[in-house]
Amino acid sequence: MNKFLLLILLAASSLLFSQEVSKKRVIEVLSRLASDEMKGREIGTPENDSAAIYIAKKFAENNLSFCVADSYLVPFEYKGKVVYNVCGIKKGESEKIIAFSAHFDHIGTSDKTEDKVFNGADDNASGVTAVIGLADYFKTLKTDFSLMYIAFNGEEKGMKGSKAIVEIPNLQEQHQNMTALFNFEMIATVSQFGPNALYMTGDEFSNLDELFNEQAANNLKLYPDPYKKQKLFYRSDNVSFVKKKIIAHSLSTVDMTKAKHYHQLNDDLEIVDFDNVTEIINNFGKTIEKFTPKNFSPKYTDQVNFN
């Protein structure tokens, strides 16, 4: 084979796989967000602001465009303070948008024990890591859909950030073009369905999971919500978009019947399965790559409550 041709093929091959997100990157991002220095990322604290700025820097590394004005930081008011959601967008061939989201705030610190920091590695540094990981994955790839990346603030205080961002006048066109929002909520552990699997809250309310699974890469799978009695579909940031009649579901791996770390001090890096998180991010990216406005247009059923 001609050496010049061989070099071209090797270069093309390296570009083909260059978007893979490394385990090292996943560890770097998740560890920073869940570090003691972040002091539990409670909304209204300097450390919460630091987390927002950190996420914004990661969006900048991926050359995302601003969603609003001239910053990734999207301000809103909480108890008299200016706090921030974080939002970036990558333009695709179409104006139609697929959004990836997760909340980055957690519940702060405790003064009652020696370990004072609620690190929130699973809840929800893991979800934000998936959002940043997908921005990494698609950095150099052309996509049919435009891709929006949102890190919500104030979920722990009643979904304050997502409620604020859906009402921003300058984002209404993007909301109208949003085909679906995938909200990552606690994906640090291996699900009860095994590795490389998530469950989707409110699966009975749309055909999003069926359409996703038809295209899913490397045996990644979205399973039905095993905790329907807990009504998780209406208890996370996706519901702010549901009320706008935008297809929006939360995806998780946490076993609600066994998890002992939810809102506890032991929700730290020791419980994170970094191999599984990395696999999910990469296979999610490979799946989204296949989507076009023609083959991916999920619809709600008549069972969903938009109020």
Side-chain angles (χ1 to χ4, degrees):
M1 181 181 290
N2 182 288
K3 287 185 177 180
F4 182 69
L5 179 60
L6 178 60
L7 287 172
I8 291 175
L9 290 173
L10 288 172
S13 176
S14 65
L15 284 172
L16 181 64
F17 296 102
S18 62
Q19 73 269 20
E20 286 272 344
V21 179
S22 70
K23 179 180 174 181
K24 180 180 178 181
R25 174 67 162 179
V26 171
I27 292 172
E28 169 205 331
V29 173
L30 207 158
S31 298
R32 180 71 183 109
L33 289 168
S35 66
D36 284 350
E37 289 73 21
M38 288 292 184
K39 294 185 178 179
R41 309 183 304 279
E42 185 172 9
I43 187 172
T45 64
E47 292 78 19
N48 178 275
D49 290 345
S50 294
I53 291 167
Y54 176 79
I55 296 163
K57 288 179 178 177
K58 297 306 167 189
F59 285 3
E61 288 175 7
N62 286 296
N63 301 321
L64 299 181
S65 299
F66 303 131
C67 293
V68 181
D70 58 354
S71 176
Y72 299 114
L73 300 174
V74 183
F76 66 99
E77 187 175 307
Y78 174 75
K79 291 188 175 181
K81 293 183 178 181
V82 176
V83 295
Y84 302 96
N85 291 309
V86 193
C87 188
I89 193 164
K90 176 182 170 64
K91 293 292 290 182
E93 297 296 321
S94 167
E95 293 298 315
K96 293 294 184 181
I97 293 170
I98 291 177
F100 311 109
S101 67
H103 74 89
F104 69 89
D105 65 302
H106 195 48
I107 59 173
T109 58
S110 169
D111 58 3
K112 298 179 181 178
T113 59
E114 185 175 347
D115 179 4
K116 298 184 181 302
V117 179
F118 291 95
N119 300 89
D122 194 8
D123 185 14
N124 189 28
S126 64
V128 179
T129 300
V131 172
I132 293 172
L134 286 165
D136 291 346
Y137 184 95
F138 285 107
K139 180 177 181 177
T140 61
L141 292 179
K142 291 183 178 180
T143 55
D144 287 285
F145 279 100
S146 293
L147 304 176
M148 183 179 281
Y149 303 87
I150 315 170
F152 300 122
N153 203 349
E155 189 270 353
E156 300 288 0
K157 303 297 184 182
M159 298 171 283
K160 301 297 186 184
S162 58
K163 288 177 179 177
I165 209 165
V166 296
E167 298 302 332
I168 294 175
N170 289 347
L171 280 178
Q172 295 312 303
E173 183 178 350
Q174 286 92 329
H175 295 334
Q176 289 170 11
N177 282 324
M178 196 173 287
T179 295
L181 177 139
F182 294 95
N183 184 55
F184 295 96
E185 179 71 77
M186 300 180 70
I187 65 164
T189 56
V190 175
S191 79
Q192 64 175 281
F193 304 105
N196 196 33
L198 307 109
Y199 60 86
M200 186 179 92
T201 64
D203 60 280
E204 70 273 28
F205 298 139
S206 84
N207 63 342
L208 179 99
D209 52 343
E210 287 94 337
L211 293 177
F212 185 95
N213 288 335
E214 285 174 5
Q215 304 276 358
N218 298 331
N219 298 312
L220 176 67
K221 187 170 181 179
L222 301 186
Y223 282 86
D225 181 358
Y227 313 110
K228 294 188 192 302
K229 290 183 179 179
Q230 298 192 38
K231 298 184 178 180
L232 300 176
F233 178 77
Y234 297 106
R235 290 171 52 192
S236 193
D237 287 306
N238 64 288
V239 75
S240 298
F241 290 79
V242 173
K243 290 178 179 180
K244 293 281 187 178
K245 298 188 177 180
I246 296 167
I247 299 286
H249 293 262
S250 291
L251 309 179
S252 184
T253 64
V254 66
D255 187 337
M256 299 293 287
T257 66
K258 296 181 179 179
K260 303 296 183 184
H261 60 275
Y262 177 63
H263 283 190
Q264 301 300 314
L265 290 163
N266 66 334
D267 183 3
D268 51 29
L269 296 179
E270 281 68 27
I271 62 103
V272 181
D273 190 314
F274 287 104
D275 288 312
N276 191 55
V277 175
T278 304
E279 183 178 26
I280 285 173
I281 292 170
N282 284 311
N283 288 337
F284 215 94
K286 288 180 173 67
T287 303
I288 298 297
E289 273 190 84
K290 300 178 183 181
F291 290 169
T292 71
K294 290 184 179 180
N295 69 19
F296 185 71
S297 182
K299 306 295 182 187
Y300 276 124
T301 68
D302 59 4
Q303 298 181 54
V304 66
N305 180 359
F306 294 114
N307 301 314

